[in-house]
Amino acid sequence: MQNFPSASQQRASDDPALEQLAQFLQRHSDVLLLTGAGISTASGIPAYRDTDGVRRGNAPVQGPDFRRQEAVRRRYWARSMVGWPTLARATPNPGHLAIAQLAQRQHIGGLVTQNVDGLHQQAGSAAVTELHGSIHGVVCLDCQARHTRRLIQDQLERDNPQMLGATATPAPDGDALLEPSQLATFHLPACPRCGGTLQPDVVFFGDGVPAACAAEAESKMQAASALLVVGSSVMVYSSFRLCRMAAETGKPVAAINLGKTRADHLLAFKTEAPAQDILPALAAMLG
């Protein structure tokens, strides 16, 4: 069956910026893609920042606070119990699928993502470097055992039946906004192996990217001849450093992003268009 472009994708294909992007990929078929929350909003996952790069909503959990304060862990896990199912049900959108197609056709090189949702892998992308970890994994801080988030969700639901069916406003990365009164009777999850303290396998704000992951992303940047940022304001240093590394070595940096980025002064050009529209049109143009 032939797949015809949607109306929004057709509008994207008429944008002169599309030709500029196509020429960029034709010149740099080994380009490194750096993706952020903007590629997953069309899958129903809220972004952290607005188009000015300003963080939305409440301040996120800080890693040191999570490990030091039981009250912070209680707040995190209660909100995650309610919010994670929405993220777990999310599916790749046309932007994720187009990136996988572009890679399969050798129009792009490596892929680094700031996202923890796993949607690039679901879409068929291989060898994805997850700068900030994966929300679908959990690690024990005491015995270092690793567990699936699904297993811990089952434990949370079993131990907190009063929270089943709770509704809350979705927040980024499987979080949800709950009333403080809902935390009073909440039972924290414990490691199924040792009973220890559990943390999601993600890089919290206030924590650094693991050295091995940072080295992998840096190696991919060194191997590429250009960098394309997709759906990210690159406000956090772990992603901005890749932009700076590319620019300092004379490699062009471009972006597909709705709004401001921290790297605007480094960009050869920026296309302000929804990733889920322009990326499929780009894949179709390149064939």
Side-chain angles (χ1 to χ4, degrees):
M1 178 182 296
Q2 184 176 359
N3 292 320
F4 293 96
S6 67
S8 57
Q9 291 170 6
Q10 184 60 50
R11 286 193 297 273
S13 68
D14 296 333
D15 189 335
L18 184 64
E19 180 63 32
Q20 187 176 35
L21 278 167
Q23 291 177 1
F24 186 73
L25 294 196
Q26 286 169 340
R27 289 194 301 271
H28 305 285
S29 60
D30 62 348
V31 64
L32 175 64
L33 260 62
L34 170 63
T35 67
I39 192 144
S40 292
T41 53
S43 295
I45 301 174
Y48 273 109
R49 301 177 188 275
D50 62 20
T51 53
D52 291 322
V54 178
R55 192 170 59 206
R56 295 184 173 105
N58 296 330
V61 169
Q62 298 287 316
D65 293 340
F66 179 95
R67 292 182 288 277
R68 185 170 53 240
Q69 302 175 36
E70 181 177 315
V72 174
R73 293 195 294 274
R74 186 181 306 278
R75 185 187 74 173
Y76 173 85
W77 282 114
R79 290 163 58 145
S80 182
M81 174 184 164
V82 176
W84 181 77
T86 297
L87 190 149
R89 289 192 296 268
T91 57
N93 65 60
H96 296 107
L97 297 171
I99 286 175
Q101 291 173 352
L102 287 166
Q104 290 165 2
R105 298 169 185 169
Q106 299 184 332
H107 292 305
I108 61 175
L111 176 58
V112 174
T113 187
Q114 298 170 258
N115 299 338
V116 299
D117 52 40
L119 293 181
H120 280 302
Q121 293 91 327
Q122 287 188 45
S125 290
V128 181
T129 300
E130 295 177 305
L131 275 182
H132 299 156
S134 172
I135 198 67
H136 301 298
V138 178
V139 63
C140 177
L141 297 177
D142 296 296
C143 73
Q144 284 69 57
R146 295 184 178 274
H147 309 285
T148 66
R149 182 63 179 78
R150 177 71 262 174
L151 176 67
I152 303 307
Q153 182 71 12
D154 291 342
Q155 182 187 135
L156 287 166
E157 294 178 358
R158 183 178 64 250
D159 294 344
N160 297 282
Q162 77 281 6
M163 299 283 287
L164 294 175
T167 57
T169 302
D173 294 341
D175 195 2
L177 306 183
L178 295 175
E179 294 297 327
S181 60
Q182 294 176 278
L183 305 180
T185 60
F186 183 80
H187 293 281
L188 283 165
C191 175
R193 175 184 290 179
C194 75
T197 300
L198 294 176
Q199 176 178 305
D201 195 15
V202 300
V203 177
F204 278 126
F205 284 82
D207 290 339
V209 173
C213 184
E216 183 177 290
E218 182 175 337
S219 177
K220 286 186 174 183
M221 187 65 261
Q222 291 172 342
S225 64
L227 176 65
L228 177 61
V229 176
V230 180
S232 176
S233 61
V234 293
M235 290 295 175
V236 296
Y237 183 70
S238 59
S239 55
F240 175 70
R241 66 186 291 271
L242 294 176
C243 299
R244 195 174 66 181
M245 183 185 305
E248 288 176 347
T249 53
K251 298 175 181 180
V253 183
I256 299 170
N257 191 61
L258 293 171
K260 178 182 178 181
T261 83
R262 184 179 178 181
D264 278 352
H265 64 291
L266 302 176
L267 300 180
F269 67 90
K270 179 169 64 178
T271 300
E272 296 210 30
Q276 69 271 15
D277 292 341
I278 200 161
L279 287 173
L282 180 61
M285 175 177 280
L286 292 174

